[in-house]
């Protein structure tokens, strides 16, 4: 009898220690303990029944031992077995690489070149026979209307200047005609100054008969060459 109890306790301790470290779940350990201890309990029950010398009691003792061992070991195995620890979570994925730096902005376009200065505009007025009689430097009365328009323009445009050039026909000596051409552009200058144009805005030169614009062999040509050219700039 004592030997059978020792075997039963040894079997119980064996199954409990084995179930505790196998990584089984509580239900799996209880089932394994019930099966193992149930078989051992049945053997113990048979041993106990045989000591009574009543063979009819062996079956009942075996059944009682099996049920008792199964319940005892199953319950204890369930209580003493720890649920296996869940596997550790996977490591977090590595952080994504930082985005590449944006490309540098393109350099600003070069500034456009400055516009070219406006071309110098010269306006040339030719006052020929309408201005002077033959061998005269006195301005004709009918030329006043033309010169008055020039005076108005000069007074409205204070940044403008006027350049005068005196000319003659080919009759007479070169020296005489040069002096006559000087008197002619000077007559125009005096007229402009009397009308309010500043003398610093007026320049002039006489060229005599050296720059004809028409044929001096004809009366009409000589009339065109007796002139003052006025350039406004």
């Amino acid at each position: 009898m004592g030997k059978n109890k020792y075997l039963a306790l040894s079997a119980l301790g064996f199954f409990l220690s084995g179930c505790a470290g196998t990584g089984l779940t509580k239900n799996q350990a209880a089932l394994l303990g019930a099966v193992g201890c149930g078989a051992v309990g049945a053997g113990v029950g048979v041993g106990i029944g045989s000591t009574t010398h009543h063979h009819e009691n062996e079956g009942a003792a075996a059944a009682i031992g099996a049920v008792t061992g199964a319940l005892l070991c199953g319950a204890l195995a369930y209580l003493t077995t720890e649920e296996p620890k869940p596997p550790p979570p996977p490591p977090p994925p590595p952080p994504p690489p930082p985005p590449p730096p944006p490309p540098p902005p393109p350099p600003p376009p070069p500034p456009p070149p400055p516009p070219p200065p406006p071309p110098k505009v010269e306006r040339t007025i030719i006052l020929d026979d309408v201005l002077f009689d033959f061998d005269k430097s006195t301005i004709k009365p009918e030329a006043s209307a033309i010169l008055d328009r020039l005076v108005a323009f000069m007074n409205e445009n204070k940044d403008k200047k006027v350049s005068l050039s005196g000319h003659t026909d080919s009759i007479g000596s070169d020296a005489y005609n040069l002096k006559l051409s000087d008197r002619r552009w000077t007559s125009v200058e005096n007229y402009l100054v009397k009308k309010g144009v500043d003398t610093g805005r007026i320049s002039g030169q006489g060229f005599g008969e050296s720059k004809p614009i028409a044929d001096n062999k004809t009366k009409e040509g000589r009339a065109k060459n007796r002139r003052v050219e006025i350039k406004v700039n």
Side-chain angles (χ1 to χ4, degrees):
M1 178 71 178
K3 183 179 180 180
N4 289 332
K5 289 181 179 181
Y6 175 75
L7 290 174
L9 292 174
S10 298
L12 177 61
F14 172 76
F15 280 109
L16 290 179
S17 62
C19 292
T22 57
L24 300 175
T25 65
K26 286 181 174 291
N27 291 334
Q28 291 171 338
L31 181 60
L32 181 61
V35 172
C37 287
V40 174
V44 172
V46 171
I48 294 173
S50 65
T51 59
T52 63
H53 303 289
H54 294 287
H55 295 289
E56 64 273 10
N57 293 330
E58 291 181 1
I64 293 172
V67 173
T68 302
L71 291 174
L72 181 61
C73 281
L76 291 177
Y78 182 85
L79 294 174
T80 59
T81 301
E82 295 181 358
E83 288 284 356
K85 295 181 179 180
K120 185 178 180 181
V121 178
E122 291 186 352
R123 300 177 182 180
T124 301
I125 303 172
I126 298 178
L127 301 178
D128 47 27
D129 191 48
V130 71
L131 191 61
F132 300 107
D133 285 325
F134 171 70
D135 197 25
K136 299 293 182 181
S137 60
T138 304
I139 297 174
K140 293 181 178 180
E142 57 265 32
S144 299
I146 299 174
L147 293 179
D148 286 343
R149 290 200 299 270
L150 175 61
V151 170
F153 176 83
M154 295 296 292
N155 288 334
E156 292 172 1
N157 298 271
K158 299 296 185 179
D159 60 324
K160 300 298 182 182
K161 295 183 178 182
V162 62
S163 175
L164 308 175
S165 59
H167 303 271
T168 68
D169 58 26
S170 59
I171 298 176
S173 66
D174 292 345
Y176 179 83
N177 287 334
L178 184 59
K179 292 179 180 179
L180 178 60
S181 65
D182 280 331
R183 293 197 303 272
R184 283 179 172 169
W185 78 258
T186 302
S187 295
V188 176
E189 179 186 31
N190 293 335
Y191 187 93
L192 298 178
V193 171
K194 288 179 181 179
K195 294 289 184 174
V197 180
D198 185 81
T199 185
R201 300 167 62 195
I202 305 171
S203 61
Q205 182 179 358
F207 293 93
E209 58 183 271
S210 62
K211 294 185 176 182
I213 58 173
D215 189 356
N216 276 310
K217 294 180 180 179
T218 65
K219 180 179 179 181
E220 293 79 10
R222 289 192 296 272
K224 290 182 178 297
N225 289 333
R226 294 192 298 269
R227 72 194 189 277
V228 171
E229 292 184 3
I230 303 171
K231 291 184 179 181
V232 179
N233 49 48

